[in-house]
Amino acid sequence: MATASATVPIGPDVLQRFAAALLAAGGFTADQAEQTAAMLVWANLRGADSHGVLRIPRYVEMVELGLINPAAEPRRVSGKGAVAVIDAERAPGAVGMNLAARTAAELADAHGIGWCAVRSISHAGAIGYYAHQIAQAGRIAIAMTASKPLMIYHGSSAEGVSTNPIAIAAPTGDPNRPLLLDMSTASVALGKIMAARDAGQPIPTGWAVDENGRDTTDPSKVTAVLPMAGPKGSGLSLMIEVLASVLVANPLIAVALTGGGDPGGNGLVAALDPAAFGDTFTFDVDRLRAAIKGLPPAAGLKTVHLPGERGFEEMERRSRAGIPLVRGTMSRLLALASKLNVAIPDGVA
């Protein structure tokens, strides 16, 4: 008998088509669905299942609730020199962040640096996806997103900041293997708690608290997550709110904490052209990479890993063997397909 933690392997192309079909049937335009599905499956391929297709039922629900606007037409509303501000009009997060990444890269080509803020987006998913795109084109990238309170502020007993993530990517001699740091400011991404719930598994202590503010290992009882490294995580999250939200006149935390409703989310993508500093950057990054890889592994480990390396290795494995979805996630996707009258492709059920 299959257990709650049993997985179903699905080919990446099949899963991406199925994901796009579900999103389109759930109210996304065809282009929005394709962009969002590509981001979600990228996350699954890298083993970041917390940011993968398990998010689809919630994205469809967000359309129904008016939190995602399929009719949005993101546009540039202000800027100066190497800075651009885009109003995404609550577009799907992947659509707004893809546009911000393209815009930042174009500005970097013209000015050496590009800074593109995008306000009023929905959930952006794995932000390493956007930094990765820029690094593949030979540019350095920094990406951040901000959202409403989801995380305990260190020293407080209540949610005061979000899990605001940050990603930094630098190109190397292998365009498919940049250095890629992608991290949440929380002790854990909220999606990992969702994944644990789908898999019927407990979560470690120190990840989250229940409604009474007590540490819990039951993912179904989680009401808020805890910050990474205490004051460091909540402080970094707060400063991302300043850069991504306050700077573009769409503050999230202050508005949410004073009962001002849900102002959506914001994102920021910065791109830097290394050629502005000389022509040895990639060589020196590769030399740095080799030096770190040459360090002696800690006891019990076979190798020293660089930022993003495990994800790229997992991507290669899953591209060959398929993406293993836990049955809880698969059941929710199949239920949504039934509700939306979406055909289930071969290789999914």
Side-chain angles (χ1 to χ4, degrees):
M1 178 180 294
T3 65
S5 60
T7 60
V8 181
I10 302 174
D13 292 342
V14 173
L15 184 58
Q16 187 163 323
R17 288 196 299 273
F18 185 43
L22 288 171
L23 291 165
F28 283 51
T29 67
D31 178 63
Q32 292 170 348
E34 291 291 343
Q35 290 190 56
T36 303
M39 177 272 295
L40 294 173
V41 173
W42 181 88
N44 281 122
L45 277 169
R46 290 180 55 80
D49 297 314
S50 59
H51 287 67
V53 297
L54 67 74
R55 299 278 183 164
I56 291 175
R58 174 56 180 167
Y59 284 0
V60 171
E61 181 182 38
M62 290 173 73
V63 173
E64 296 170 350
L65 295 173
L67 300 176
I68 290 177
N69 176 19
E73 296 182 358
R75 68 194 191 285
R76 193 181 304 199
V77 293
S78 63
K80 181 179 181 181
V83 175
V85 178
I86 292 171
D87 188 336
E89 299 180 344
R90 288 188 182 259
V95 174
M97 289 296 286
N98 277 337
L99 179 56
R102 291 195 302 271
T103 303
E106 291 168 0
L107 289 168
D109 288 344
H111 302 283
I113 187 171
W115 179 289
C116 184
V118 55
R119 69 188 185 210
S120 192
I121 61 172
S122 63
H123 186 259
I127 62 167
Y129 177 73
Y130 313 106
H132 185 204
Q133 293 178 55
I134 293 174
Q136 282 185 304
R139 306 291 183 260
I140 299 167
I142 303 174
M144 311 173 196
T145 57
S147 60
K148 64 182 181 180
L150 297 167
M151 183 170 80
I152 300 295
Y153 187 83
H154 183 74
S156 167
S157 61
E159 295 168 298
V161 287
S162 186
T163 57
N164 295 348
I166 179 171
I168 304 174
T172 67
D174 181 351
N176 294 316
R177 286 281 193 112
L179 292 180
L180 177 58
L181 173 70
D182 183 354
M183 56 172 274
S184 168
T185 52
S187 57
V188 64
L190 187 61
K192 287 191 176 181
I193 295 173
M194 296 169 62
R197 187 179 62 212
D198 276 357
Q201 297 176 343
I203 60 173
T205 57
W207 274 18
V209 295
D210 62 19
E211 62 181 2
N212 297 312
R214 298 192 184 96
D215 209 324
T216 182
T217 60
D218 185 344
S220 67
K221 293 182 178 180
V222 169
T223 57
V225 295
L226 292 166
M228 169 199 73
K232 296 180 182 179
S234 57
L236 180 56
S237 174
L238 188 68
M239 297 313 294
I240 291 174
E241 165 71 0
V242 171
L243 293 174
S245 302
V246 178
L247 193 58
V248 296
N250 190 37
L252 307 181
I253 298 299
V255 171
L257 293 181
T258 56
D262 183 358
N266 302 303
L268 166 64
V269 180
L272 184 66
D273 183 357
F277 297 84
D279 57 5
T280 66
F281 178 76
T282 301
F283 170 81
D284 288 333
V285 170
D286 284 341
R287 187 165 61 170
L288 173 62
R289 183 169 61 167
I292 297 298
K293 291 294 289 183
L295 292 171
L301 298 179
K302 294 181 179 180
T303 187
V304 175
H305 281 97
L306 294 162
E309 189 174 10
R310 288 187 180 88
F312 289 121
E313 291 172 352
E314 186 65 15
M315 180 175 284
E316 292 174 357
R317 284 192 291 268
R318 291 188 175 197
S319 294
R320 295 190 302 268
I323 295 170
L325 291 187
V326 297
R327 292 190 180 275
T329 297
M330 178 58 68
S331 296
R332 293 195 300 117
L333 295 181
L334 293 177
L336 183 63
S338 176
K339 174 184 174 181
L340 299 176
N341 295 314
V342 172
I344 301 171
D346 292 339
V348 169

